Amino acid sequence: MAKKQKVSLVLSSGGARGLAHVGVIEELEERGFEIAEIAGCSAGALVGGMYTAGKLAEFKNWICNLDRIDVFSLMDFTFSSRGFIKGEKVFSALKKVVQDCQIEDLQIPFSCNAVDVHSGKEVVFSKGSLLTAIRASGSIPSVIIPAKQGKQQLIDGGVLNPIPISLLKKAENNLVMVVDVNGLDQDYVSPPKKDSEGNRFISLPKWLSEYRDKMKQYFPDDEEEEEKPTSFSALDLVSRSFDLLQDRYCEMVIAQNNVEVLVKIARKQAGTLEFHRSAEMIEVGRIKAKEALDKWENGNS
């Protein structure tokens, strides 16, 4: 059954944790599933776009070879009040990996979302420039400067719809699978030491911890167990409140839809901008996908 099963795949927002989507897709392909459509948000739009464009292998090879210095060098910092990263350098680098194309020309149906800052409405991309759609969907508020489309200023689709099940068009005919990389602490798994081929992940020099401390909000310490804070700053409270609201919203969306396979990856698995841990996150995605698919297959055997 699984060999012929078609899948409608939903890939959530989540920054660097979204690289887990790559591992999920690879596990699906290894098991013989056919991905019939993808709806993605932010990081999910990036990975989903690369896959539907047939460039996932090239994208994986590129991003898994970025260390902390490479990631840092791709951050074109700015003093703008709309965000501290322009986003131009990383998307220029991405254009070298995949040429832009029209979404409607992709062999696999793909859609992603963004949010119009001024109107507060969701903007859905199901046609037009693929890279333009990815850039808009991944414009993390206060981090990456909003993308411009005509008179619109577009930000991360995760603000309104982090798990865009609503974008699916063939859900009633396919196995609906959702990958949520903003899960709870209980969804955490110990980081794997090796990749699927048995290769160890590259260890990093300790002196890099200095700049990690400067970017602590987005680069949490993954080597030492964090102490539970005794109090929250104003910024911590705003961030925590948004996470709680998003968690509850996601639970409601999943509960109200016929989600047959759910892959949950903990928010604390990696920081928003920890793209130097891409290879590790891909393996985490593979591990969690195996668990979810085994559970589904056992329930249908």
Side-chain angles (χ1 to χ4, degrees):
M1 178 179 179
K3 295 295 182 180
K4 300 179 181 179
Q5 181 68 60
K6 292 186 177 182
V7 177
S8 289
L9 186 61
V10 182
L11 306 177
S12 80
S13 60
R17 293 184 300 281
L19 272 300
H21 296 318
V22 176
V24 173
I25 289 173
E26 290 180 342
E27 183 63 21
L28 281 169
E29 288 198 319
E30 187 174 331
R31 292 183 182 229
F33 287 86
E34 179 185 344
I35 299 175
E37 64 174 329
I38 293 181
C41 175
S42 193
L46 173 61
V47 174
M50 293 301 101
Y51 177 75
T52 54
K55 294 294 182 178
L56 189 63
E58 291 87 342
F59 171 72
K60 177 183 175 182
N61 181 63
W62 170 65
I63 203 160
C64 286
N65 282 287
L66 298 179
D67 59 22
R68 289 181 194 259
I69 295 299
D70 294 325
V71 173
F72 193 78
S73 68
L74 289 173
M75 295 182 185
D76 41 2
F77 295 104
T78 177
F79 291 105
S80 172
S81 60
R82 296 177 298 158
F84 62 82
I85 298 174
K86 294 179 182 178
E88 295 175 4
K89 289 181 74 173
V90 66
F91 279 94
S92 292
L94 188 61
K95 288 178 182 179
K96 297 178 181 179
V97 179
V98 55
Q99 290 186 345
D100 196 11
C101 59
Q102 299 299 298
I103 295 174
E104 59 267 34
D105 294 335
L106 298 172
Q107 293 186 351
I108 299 173
F110 170 75
S111 57
C112 65
N113 61 354
V115 175
D116 183 335
V117 175
H118 298 295
S119 70
K121 295 182 179 179
E122 182 179 29
V123 177
V124 177
F125 293 90
S126 56
K127 60 182 180 179
S129 165
L130 175 64
L131 293 181
T132 296
I134 292 172
R135 168 66 176 88
S137 187
S139 299
I140 305 172
S142 79
V143 177
I144 299 177
I145 290 179
K148 291 184 178 180
Q149 179 173 269
K151 295 182 179 180
Q152 293 178 313
Q153 291 194 49
L154 305 178
I155 58 174
D156 196 315
V159 171
L160 288 182
N161 192 7
I163 301 181
I165 300 176
S166 58
L167 273 57
L168 295 176
K169 298 178 181 178
K170 303 178 181 179
E172 66 278 5
N173 300 319
N174 303 328
L175 175 71
V176 176
M177 182 171 180
V178 169
V179 187
D180 179 11
V181 299
N182 297 299
L184 305 176
D185 289 356
Q186 66 194 41
D187 301 310
Y188 180 84
V189 295
S190 298
K193 302 297 182 182
K194 300 179 181 180
D195 63 20
S196 60
E197 298 178 353
N199 300 313
R200 282 188 169 275
F201 297 123
I202 299 173
S203 58
L204 301 165
K206 293 182 179 179
W207 59 267
L208 285 172
S209 61
E210 181 178 347
Y211 105 75
R212 174 170 46 182
D213 291 338
K214 294 179 181 179
M215 301 292 290
K216 190 173 181 180
Q217 182 181 357
Y218 299 102
F219 291 85
D221 195 337
D222 54 66
E223 295 176 0
E224 298 179 4
E225 186 175 349
E226 294 183 4
E227 296 182 1
K228 293 183 179 180
T230 55
S231 62
F232 289 94
S233 67
L235 182 60
D236 289 335
L237 283 172
V238 172
S239 178
R240 177 61 174 161
S241 298
F242 178 77
D243 289 344
L244 290 172
L245 286 169
Q246 190 177 68
D247 290 345
R248 181 57 59 90
Y249 172 74
C250 290
E251 288 177 3
M252 291 173 59
V253 169
I254 291 171
Q256 292 173 2
N257 288 274
N258 183 29
V259 178
E260 295 160 279
V261 180
L262 175 61
V263 179
K264 295 276 284 185
I265 294 167
R267 181 180 280 111
K268 75 172 189 176
Q269 201 78 52
T272 303
L273 300 180
E274 286 193 297
F275 288 97
H276 61 279
R277 297 176 61 191
S278 296
E280 176 188 320
M281 287 309 305
I282 289 171
E283 291 310 308
V284 168
R286 194 189 315 278
I287 291 169
K288 300 293 284 188
K290 285 180 179 179
E291 293 177 357
L293 289 168
D294 285 346
K295 181 179 179 181
W296 176 79
E297 289 176 348
N298 291 333
N300 287 274
S301 60

